[in-house]
Amino acid sequence: MGEILALVEARLLTALGEPDARAAVTFLGTDRIEVLRFVDGDLVRYATLGMSAQPMADPTAALADPVKGPRAELVLSVRAGLADTDKVLRPLAVLAATPQVEGLVVAPGASLDVGEPLWPGAPFSSVLVAEPGGLVQDLELDEPMDPVRFLPLLPMTRNEAAWKRVRGAQELQERWLSHGTDLRDPLRGAVTLD
C-alpha cells in the first residue's frame, strides 16, 4: 500500500509540481486520505492521495479482491483568490473515502455529493467525475493490479446535478461546452438548462 502511494505521489509531483500545502483526514474505519494543494499561476489544484491504496470493489461482490480492481485519485482545479476554496479539503477527503465507506466504484460519468457546499458560499455540493488522462496521466502498476486513474472533478450546482440525473453526464458536459461555461470559476452560476 505504501509503495503504491509513493508512486502515486511521484506521479502527482511530476505532473503538477511541488505541493504548497497538504492536509490529512482519517475517518473511522478507513485509511488515511491526504489532500495536496498545488498552485499553478491563477489556478489551484487539489489532489487526493490515499484513495488508490486499495482497489475499489464492486458492492455486489461477495468478497473484495485485495489486488484487482479499479484504483483512482481525485483532482479538482479552481481559479485562485475568488473564494475560500481551501475549505474543500475535508469534502474532497470524504469523496475519496467513499469507496471504502460505501463500497462505491467511482468512475467517469458518476455524480458524487457531499450534502453541503464544497467550500463556504459555494453554489456546489456535488461534482461530476470526468474522464482521466488530461492533466495527470494514468499510473501503470505491476500486473495484475489495475492502473491508478486521476479523475478530474467538475463542480455541479443543484440544478445541474438534477438535470444530469435525467439527461446524463454527456449532455451536461455538452451544455457546459456550448455555453462556454468556466468550470474552474468557484463562484459561477448554473448553466442555462431547458
Side-chain angles (χ1 to χ4, degrees):
M1 178 175 97
E3 182 181 315
I4 290 172
L5 293 184
L7 293 171
V8 169
E9 183 169 1
R11 175 59 53 97
L12 286 169
L13 298 183
T14 299
L16 304 175
E18 282 294 321
D20 73 332
R22 65 173 62 210
V25 180
T26 305
F27 303 101
L28 187 62
T30 67
D31 295 326
R32 179 173 121 144
I33 303 285
E34 285 189 87
V35 179
L36 284 60
R37 182 180 72 188
F38 302 87
V39 176
D40 179 14
D42 70 336
L43 293 179
V44 180
R45 301 186 197 282
Y46 301 94
T48 63
L49 178 61
M51 181 177 172
S52 61
Q54 305 294 330
M56 293 181 274
D58 180 344
T60 62
L63 286 173
D65 190 318
V67 177
K68 288 184 174 181
R71 295 175 189 262
E73 296 291 352
L74 308 175
V75 181
L76 173 70
S77 299
V78 293
R79 298 219 176 278
L82 302 176
D84 187 10
T85 56
D86 281 349
K87 298 288 196 252
V88 78
L89 300 178
R90 184 166 178 77
L92 267 182
V94 167
L95 295 177
T98 301
Q100 288 182 56
V101 174
E102 297 180 21
L104 185 72
V105 175
V106 176
S111 300
L112 302 173
D113 196 316
V114 293
E116 61 185 37
L118 293 175
W119 52 81
F124 323 104
S125 64
S126 63
V127 293
L128 174 65
V129 181
E131 290 290 335
L135 187 62
V136 184
Q137 296 300 313
D138 292 353
L139 173 64
E140 297 294 330
L141 300 175
D142 294 337
E143 290 289 336
M145 293 186 283
D146 289 19
V148 176
R149 302 172 86 199
F150 297 88
L151 302 172
L153 300 180
L154 308 174
M156 293 187 292
T157 66
R158 181 164 294 155
N159 287 345
E160 290 169 342
W163 201 79
K164 182 257 175 195
R165 280 192 295 276
V166 174
R167 306 288 285 272
Q170 184 66 36
E171 284 202 33
L172 178 58
Q173 288 179 300
E174 288 171 7
R175 179 59 56 113
W176 282 336
L177 190 59
S178 69
H179 283 80
T181 306
D182 181 1
L183 297 174
R184 295 174 176 167
D185 180 352
L187 302 174
R188 74 168 180 86
V191 69
T192 304
L193 304 169
D194 40 36

